[in-house]
Amino acid sequence: MAICIRREGQPPEWVMVEMQGQLQLEDESECFDGMELGKLAVDASGKPVLQVGHQVLIGAFMELKKPLAVLGSGGRQEEIHKGLPSLRYDVLGIIKRKAVFTKRPVPFSVMPVITK
């Protein structure tokens, strides 16, 4: 099987988020699918800031050694060679850096709240 990866124009740059610790839901029967984790922003000094619930995490950006491509899972059929089954995937974005949050969260009373 042949797999065709196509890129139309310049795909947007995405940022990977890396966190230490655990995320827990109040109702353990729920799952994280489709749930908003929090608000991610960049402060005036260029550091990533993540607001989760009533806490704020301050992180740092790190460049990845090798960029990653985010592929669309369309899996459409496309003929590349006669008689050879093939699938086509589109590049949705490129990840060149990650936002790393390794420090403990700070309560809102100490940090300003993200409003955007």
Side-chain angles (χ1 to χ4, degrees):
M1 173 180 286
I3 298 177
C4 178
I5 299 174
R6 296 229 189 256
R7 177 181 77 150
E8 309 229 353
Q10 184 65 27
E13 183 178 339
W14 291 20
V15 175
M16 182 187 308
V17 175
E18 181 178 304
M19 297 178 5
Q20 307 297 317
Q22 295 179 338
L23 292 174
Q24 295 180 338
L25 296 171
E26 291 178 13
D27 182 2
E28 292 185 14
S29 65
E30 293 185 46
C31 67
F32 288 106
D33 290 349
M35 191 177 262
E36 183 179 299
L37 171 66
K39 295 179 182 180
L40 181 63
V42 178
D43 69 8
S45 65
K47 292 182 180 178
V49 178
L50 180 63
Q51 176 186 332
V52 179
H54 297 290
Q55 300 177 349
V56 176
L57 295 110
I58 300 172
F61 285 114
M62 297 181 70
E63 296 293 320
L64 297 177
K65 291 180 182 176
K66 293 182 179 181
L68 301 172
V70 180
L71 302 178
S73 61
R76 295 180 300 277
Q77 296 287 334
E78 182 173 291
E79 187 173 323
I80 298 173
H81 300 288
K82 291 182 180 179
L84 182 65
S86 63
L87 291 176
R88 173 185 168 172
Y89 291 92
D90 295 321
V91 178
L92 301 178
I94 302 291
I95 301 173
K96 295 181 181 177
R97 60 189 180 146
K98 62 182 176 180
V100 181
F101 298 94
T102 57
K103 297 182 180 169
R104 291 191 173 274
V106 179
F108 277 166
S109 61
V110 179
M111 292 293 301
V113 178
I114 300 172
T115 58
K116 293 182 182 178

